[in-house]
Amino acid sequence: MNEYSIEFKNLVKTFGNSTILNNLSFGIHKNKITTILGFSGAGKTTLMKHILGLTMPTSGDVIVLGTAINKLDEMSLREFRRNFGMVFQYAALFDFLTSFENVAFPLREFTKMNEEEIKDKVLKLLDSVGISREAAYRLPSELSGGMRKRVGLARGLALDPHIMLYDEPTSGLDPITTHMVYDLMRDTQLANVKNGFTSVIISHDIHATLKYSDYIVFMEKGTVVEHLDVESFKKSANPVIRRFLEL
Amino acid sequence: MKAMVEKQIEQLGNTVMQMLQGLGDFTNFTFKTIFWTFKPPYRFKLLFEQIYFIGNKSVFIIFLTSSFTGAVFAYQIYVGMKVINADSFIGPLVTIALAKELAPVLSGLVVAGRCGAAMAAQIGTMKVTEQIDALEVMGINSYQYLAVPRILGATISLPLLSAIFLMIGYGGSWLIGTKLLQIDEVIFTSKVSDFMELGMVAEGIIKATVFGYLIGIIGTYHGFMVQGGAEGVGKGTNMAVVWGMITVLVVDFFLTSFLTKIL
Ligand SMILES: Nc1ncnc2c1ncn2[C@@H]1O[C@H](COP(=O)(O)OP(=O)(O)OP(=O)(O)O)[C@@H](O)[C@H]1O
Ligand SMILES: [Mg+2]
C-alpha cells in the first residue's frame, strides 16, 4: 500500500500573473499528523483548497486516497468530499443552527440514520469534544470561540472522514484553549489511526507544532522549503527555518 | 495636462471593465442558479421557510402601505373628479391603478428593501465566515442550498403580497369613497366591476412575479459577491437594496409597454 494518503504531482497554481504554488511534488503520510508551516501568503490555504478540490490546479495533479481529485467531474467530486472533515479557522458553524444541529447537519444530509440514531451519534461526538448538553442547544453566537472550534471539530468528524484538515485551528485562541484543541486533534488522530487516518494542520504556532506533529512541511512563496519529520526539522540548517524556530 | 487626461481615460476604461466583469458574473450566477433549480434534491422545506420568512417580514408593512395608498389615492382622485362631476369613477380608477401598477411596484420596493437586503446580509455573512466553504466541503452546492430557495421564495411570495396589497388598497379606497366621500356603496362596487378586467389583475400578478424573481436573484447575487469582513457585508446589502429598487422601477417601464400590447 501507498504510504501517502495525499500526493501532489508537479502542482502549479497561478492566479492571473502570479504563481501561488510553484511546481510542488510531495506526499502527505498516512496515519500521521502533518503540519504545514509558512509565512502569511506562502500559499498554505491555497494548497489545502486543492486537497478538497475547492480550487483546481493550473497544471499538475492532486491525488487523494489514490484518486486524481482534479480529474473528477463535479458530482463525483461532491461525493468524494465526504472523505474529508474540515475545521475552519473560525469554525464556520452555520449561524442559524444550534451546536447540536450543526453536528447533525452532515448526518441528516448524507446518511439514512433516523432521529434516534442521529441524537445518539451527535451527543456522543459533542461529549468527546467536551461540549455540555446545555451548550449543545445554544446557537453559535452564544458560544465562546474555543467552544465553537470544538463544535466545528465534532461536525468535521461526524461522517467518519479519512482525512481531517484544519486551517489555523488555534489562531486567536488563548494558550490553554490552544492546547486543548491540539490535544483533541491528537486524540482524534490516535483514535482513528488504524483506519489510515490522516490529519493535516495549517498553523503558525511553532511550539505546538513541534510538540504534536509527526511531519512538518515548510512553505515559502509557493514552494516547499523543507519536508521532514519533527526531529530532523528541529535540526534543519536552513536559515529561514532557523529564524522561524527561534521565534 | 496630457497625463491627467490619460489618467482619466484609464479610469473610465477601468470602470467600464469592472461593469462588464460584473455583468458577466451576474449572468453566470443567473445561469448557475437556474441549472441548480432543476437539479435534485429539491429542498421544499427551505423553500417554505423562505416563503414564510418573506411573508412574515413584509406583510405588516404591505398592509400599512396598501391601506394608506388606497385611501389617499381615492381622496386625491375625488378632488379632481368632483370638478367634472365624475366622482363615482373613483372606485375603478383607484382599483385599476392598484392592480396594474401600484400593487406590484410598491410591494416590489418593500420586498427589495426588506428581503433583498436580508438575503444579501445572510449570504454575505456566511461567505465571510467561511460557512459557504463549509457547505461546499460537505459536498452541498451553496447555490442550490442558499440561492435557489430564496429566489423561488421571492418569486412565489411577491405576487401573493401584491394580491394582498390590491385587496387591502381596494378596501382603503372603498372606506374613504363610501364613508368619507359619501359615494353610494352600490354604485362604487358596480362601477369597479364594470371597468375592471381580468387582464389588469393578470398584468399586476405577472409584474410582481417578475419583480420577485429579480429581487431574489439580485439579493442572493450580492450576498455571494461579498468580499472582506463585516464592511463587505454592509456594502453588499446596500447594493442589493439599491439595485433591487432600480431594477423594479426600470423593468416596470418595459413590462408595462410589453404587457399592455399582449393582454
Ligand atoms: N482566489 C484568489 N485569487 C487571487 N489570488 C489569490 C486567491 N487566493 C489566494 N490568492 C493569493 O495567493 C497567495 C497565497 O494565499 P494563501 O491564502 O494560500 O496564503 P496562506 O499561506 O494561507 O497565508 P495566511 O497565513 O495569511 O493564511 C496570496 O498572495 C493571495 O493573495
Ligand atoms: Mg491561510
Side-chain angles (χ1 to χ4, degrees):
Chain A
M1 271 299 274
N2 199 331
E3 63 174 315
Y4 301 121
S5 56
I6 303 164
E7 277 179 274
F8 304 102
K9 291 193 172 153
N10 306 315
L11 173 62
V12 177
K13 181 64 183 181
T14 56
F15 286 115
N17 296 329
S18 47
T19 304
I20 307 300
L21 299 176
N22 196 354
N23 202 14
L24 301 183
S25 294
F26 69 100
I28 292 179
H29 291 82
K30 200 174 268 181
N31 290 324
K32 301 288 180 197
I33 297 180
T34 297
T35 299
I36 302 172
L37 286 176
F39 299 105
S40 197
K44 305 181 295 294
T45 300
T46 309
L47 185 67
M48 194 171 265
K49 288 192 173 164
H50 278 85
I51 301 176
L52 292 161
L54 286 176
T55 307
M56 287 299 166
T58 307
S59 69
D61 288 307
V62 180
I63 319 251
V64 181
L65 303 171
T67 304
I69 196 162
N70 48 302
K71 299 217 168 84
L72 293 176
D73 63 68
E74 170 138 358
M75 285 300 154
S76 323
L77 180 59
R78 285 182 189 286
E79 195 75 24
F80 192 79
R81 287 205 186 120
R82 286 171 216 171
N83 286 307
F84 301 111
M86 167 104 190
V87 179
F88 289 87
Q89 187 163 346
Y90 297 103
L93 298 181
F94 301 126
D95 49 19
F96 49 92
L97 298 175
T98 61
S99 310
F100 181 95
E101 285 301 325
N102 261 286
V103 181
F105 187 91
L107 300 174
R108 292 193 200 291
E109 283 290 326
F110 298 117
T111 69
K112 298 199 159 53
M113 291 164 90
N114 64 31
E115 217 34 51
E116 196 71 15
E117 292 164 328
I118 287 177
K119 190 168 176 190
D120 274 358
K121 172 120 196 188
V122 171
L123 291 178
K124 216 158 82 203
L125 279 164
L126 286 174
D127 266 349
S128 73
V129 296
I131 294 291
S132 66
R133 290 294 144 93
E134 181 260 332
Y137 295 98
R138 281 197 255 150
L139 289 170
S141 56
E142 300 159 345
L143 301 175
S144 74
M147 289 162 99
R148 265 180 245 163
K149 218 144 245 189
R150 282 183 275 157
V151 176
L153 181 54
R155 183 179 68 182
L157 289 169
L159 292 175
D160 303 314
H162 296 101
I163 296 173
M164 276 301 281
L165 305 168
Y166 307 88
D167 191 356
E168 305 194 25
T170 59
S171 60
L173 295 184
D174 63 79
I176 308 273
T177 316
T178 296
H179 276 270
M180 196 185 64
V181 170
Y182 264 102
D183 282 336
L184 270 171
M185 293 193 288
R186 184 182 53 192
D187 292 347
T188 306
Q189 176 63 34
L190 292 179
N192 293 290
V193 76
K194 55 189 170 306
N195 311 323
F197 195 83
T198 308
S199 300
V200 185
I201 305 172
I202 293 178
S203 177
H204 287 295
D205 187 333
I206 181 76
H207 299 290
T209 299
L210 293 176
K211 183 167 168 206
Y212 289 91
S213 293
D214 300 308
Y215 288 91
I216 297 177
V217 174
F218 192 93
M219 287 181 70
E220 199 186 15
K221 295 188 190 129
T223 59
V224 171
V225 179
E226 289 282 28
H227 179 195
L228 298 166
D229 61 89
V230 170
E231 287 315 312
S232 320
F233 187 85
K234 281 181 189 163
K235 298 189 201 96
S236 168
N238 189 310
V240 187
I241 293 175
R242 295 260 42 112
R243 215 170 47 183
F244 214 85
L245 283 170
E246 277 147 25
L247 287 178
Chain B
M1 185 61 205
K2 189 165 164 257
M4 219 172 87
V5 173
E6 257 172 31
K7 207 167 161 197
Q8 276 179 350
I9 291 176
E10 196 181 309
Q11 262 175 9
L12 186 72
N14 279 341
T15 315
V16 171
M17 286 305 282
Q18 265 170 21
M19 279 172 70
L20 286 177
Q21 170 81 32
L23 202 64
D25 287 346
F26 184 73
T27 314
N28 193 357
F29 179 79
T30 307
F31 282 117
K32 276 198 183 134
T33 51
I34 293 172
F35 173 80
W36 282 103
T37 302
F38 295 102
K39 209 144 178 91
Y42 305 114
R43 299 178 183 276
F44 291 108
K45 184 165 165 275
L46 292 179
L47 174 60
F48 289 126
E49 273 171 21
Q50 285 305 321
I51 293 173
Y52 177 77
F53 176 78
I54 294 167
N56 200 21
K57 240 186 141 72
S58 322
V59 92
F60 174 73
I61 188 148
I62 290 283
F63 191 90
L64 206 72
T65 321
S66 57
S67 51
F68 278 97
T69 305
V72 170
F73 205 48
Y75 200 83
Q76 294 279 25
I77 288 179
Y78 172 80
V79 177
M81 288 299 186
K82 186 78 189 146
V83 182
I84 53 166
N85 253 334
D87 46 340
S88 61
F89 285 95
I90 290 177
L93 273 172
V94 173
T95 320
I96 290 169
L98 279 171
K100 288 168 69 106
E101 206 59 42
L102 295 172
V105 169
L106 292 178
S107 309
L109 294 176
V110 166
V111 171
R114 313 218 76 189
C115 307
M119 288 175 199
Q122 287 162 350
I123 295 176
T125 305
M126 291 187 72
K127 174 96 186 276
V128 301
T129 55
E130 293 183 306
Q131 289 177 58
I132 291 185
D133 282 336
L135 273 178
E136 293 284 343
V137 168
M138 286 185 213
I140 295 170
N141 185 283
S142 54
Y143 293 137
Q144 185 178 41
Y145 194 84
L146 297 171
V148 170
R150 285 175 172 77
I151 295 168
L152 290 183
T155 312
I156 294 168
S157 302
L158 197 53
L160 296 175
L161 289 169
S162 176
I164 295 174
F165 194 112
L166 171 59
M167 284 186 286
I168 294 176
Y170 173 70
S173 67
W174 185 86
L175 270 179
I176 294 292
T178 59
K179 303 299 169 206
L180 189 71
L181 306 173
Q182 305 290 334
I183 299 164
D184 186 81
E185 284 177 22
V186 177
I187 292 179
F188 191 98
T189 38
S190 69
K191 281 265 189 279
V192 170
S193 47
D194 283 351
F195 285 94
M196 275 298 283
E197 288 164 17
L198 207 58
M200 296 169 181
V201 179
E203 183 178 339
I205 298 292
I206 292 170
K207 279 181 176 175
T209 310
V210 175
F211 295 161
Y213 176 73
L214 292 170
I215 290 166
I217 211 151
I218 289 167
T220 51
Y221 170 76
H222 282 105
F224 275 100
M225 285 299 124
V226 164
Q227 258 164 8
E231 201 186 321
V233 177
K235 222 168 109 189
T237 309
N238 193 28
M239 294 282 274
V241 175
V242 171
W243 281 109
M245 290 187 170
I246 291 175
T247 306
V248 166
L249 295 170
V250 173
V251 170
D252 180 55
F253 176 79
F254 291 105
L255 267 182
T256 303
S257 46
F258 174 68
L259 289 174
T260 24
K261 272 188 207 120
I262 64 162
L263 285 175

